[in-house]
Amino acid sequence: MLLTYVDESFTARVYWIGALLVPDAAAMRLSEALDQVVVDAVKTYGVPVDVELHGYDIFHGRKGWRGIPPRARIAVYKAAMSTIGAEKEVAIILRGVKRAQLAMRYAHPRPAHEVVLSHVLERVDGCAASREEYALVIADEVHDQAAHRADLTRYRVSGTGGYRSRKLTRIVDTLHFAPSHASRLVQAVDLVTFLFQRLELPGADVRAGAVNEQLWALVEPRRYHSWCWDPMATQS
């Protein structure tokens, strides 16, 4: 079983959703290793014991990371990404959509989250099939959870729609939603998705961009698929 953790990260320009696929045998090991990253940060930098590993908060010194120097926050992010990248059977999927182009192409566009989640689930299903596995999807809490569960049911019966519609046969049960504070692996996919979103920002500071690239290199070997859809361009 592939435990699949899902979270979003977005700007006004692009809406991204990431998925972190973790074999069940590795899930506890990875969760405990990320717990240790926090334990070390508590001892070394004095962050609260209940601090969460959230990309936005770590990068911008918010919430439990307030007052922690940038170098220290980058070191914690690096430790977490190293931990994720060290799990060789982990797979990362990232899908995005250009929001303005979505609104331009359709008179009544589906919400960006709904569009991108369907694309992510297609790729999760394909990845699970390629491994002859099944996937259980656990997402960070969002609005309209019942609607997303209903969408998954429809995707199983009639496919995801669009130009590469796929009937989802490898995603078991329903979509499960968990608060990030209760799941270190929901936090892990948050770290991954937020960082990838930063890589795609135009005109980013050169020094910040170099740091982002160094951090991303730690998990790059685990990238299974990534793509940002431009609804006004040729399909891919």
Side-chain angles (χ1 to χ4, degrees):
M1 181 73 70
L2 295 172
L3 302 180
T4 303
Y5 298 88
V6 172
D7 196 16
E8 76 277 358
S9 186
F10 53 87
T11 64
R13 194 177 68 91
V14 180
Y15 198 105
W16 288 99
I17 296 180
L20 186 71
L21 288 74
V22 185
D24 52 4
M28 184 61 73
R29 182 170 63 243
L30 179 54
S31 183
E32 290 176 348
L34 291 169
D35 282 341
Q36 188 60 50
V37 170
V38 173
V39 168
D40 292 343
V42 170
K43 292 179 179 177
T44 306
Y45 306 117
V47 298
V49 295
D50 61 348
V51 74
E52 295 183 41
L53 295 170
H54 279 300
Y56 181 87
D57 294 340
I58 295 175
F59 258 93
H60 296 287
R62 302 296 178 86
K63 297 183 179 179
W65 301 96
R66 189 181 304 276
I68 307 301
R71 286 183 179 274
R73 288 185 274 113
I74 291 170
V76 173
Y77 215 124
K78 180 178 180 180
M81 298 297 275
S82 295
T83 298
I84 296 166
E87 286 290 344
K88 295 184 178 180
E89 292 186 73
V90 160
I92 294 169
I93 293 171
L94 297 139
R95 291 289 304 205
V97 65
K98 294 185 177 181
R99 304 175 78 175
Q101 288 84 339
L102 182 65
M104 290 168 60
R105 176 162 179 174
Y106 301 101
H108 303 285
R110 294 158 61 200
H113 185 95
E114 180 183 328
V115 171
V116 181
L117 183 59
S118 70
H119 295 170
V120 167
L121 294 177
E122 287 173 354
R123 296 294 176 166
V124 168
D125 195 78
C127 182
S130 72
R131 296 191 181 191
E132 298 185 345
E133 287 274 14
Y134 290 91
L136 181 72
V137 179
I138 303 131
D140 194 8
E141 291 183 318
V142 294
H143 296 298
D144 298 327
Q145 295 179 14
H148 293 312
R149 291 188 177 110
D151 288 342
L152 175 58
T153 299
R154 186 175 73 254
Y155 298 156
R156 287 197 179 104
V157 174
S158 56
T160 51
Y163 70 98
R164 64 181 312 276
S165 181
R166 179 186 181 97
K167 288 186 178 181
L168 305 184
T169 63
R170 290 283 170 168
I171 297 177
V172 303
D173 199 30
T174 186
L175 294 180
H176 295 266
F177 295 90
S180 62
H181 67 80
S183 172
R184 202 63 87 185
L185 297 182
V186 169
Q187 294 172 37
V189 72
D190 176 279
L191 292 173
V192 169
T193 309
F194 176 80
L195 180 62
F196 188 79
Q197 176 259 122
R198 284 183 62 86
L199 291 178
E200 301 296 306
L201 287 175
D205 177 83
V206 173
R207 289 176 297 177
V211 170
N212 294 340
E213 293 284 355
Q214 291 167 11
L215 292 175
W216 182 259
L218 299 169
V219 297
E220 170 59 27
R222 309 294 159 241
R223 175 160 41 166
Y224 173 80
H225 169 80
S226 64
W227 182 257
C228 182
W229 178 38
D230 179 349
M232 299 297 291
T234 303
Q235 308 278 17
S236 291

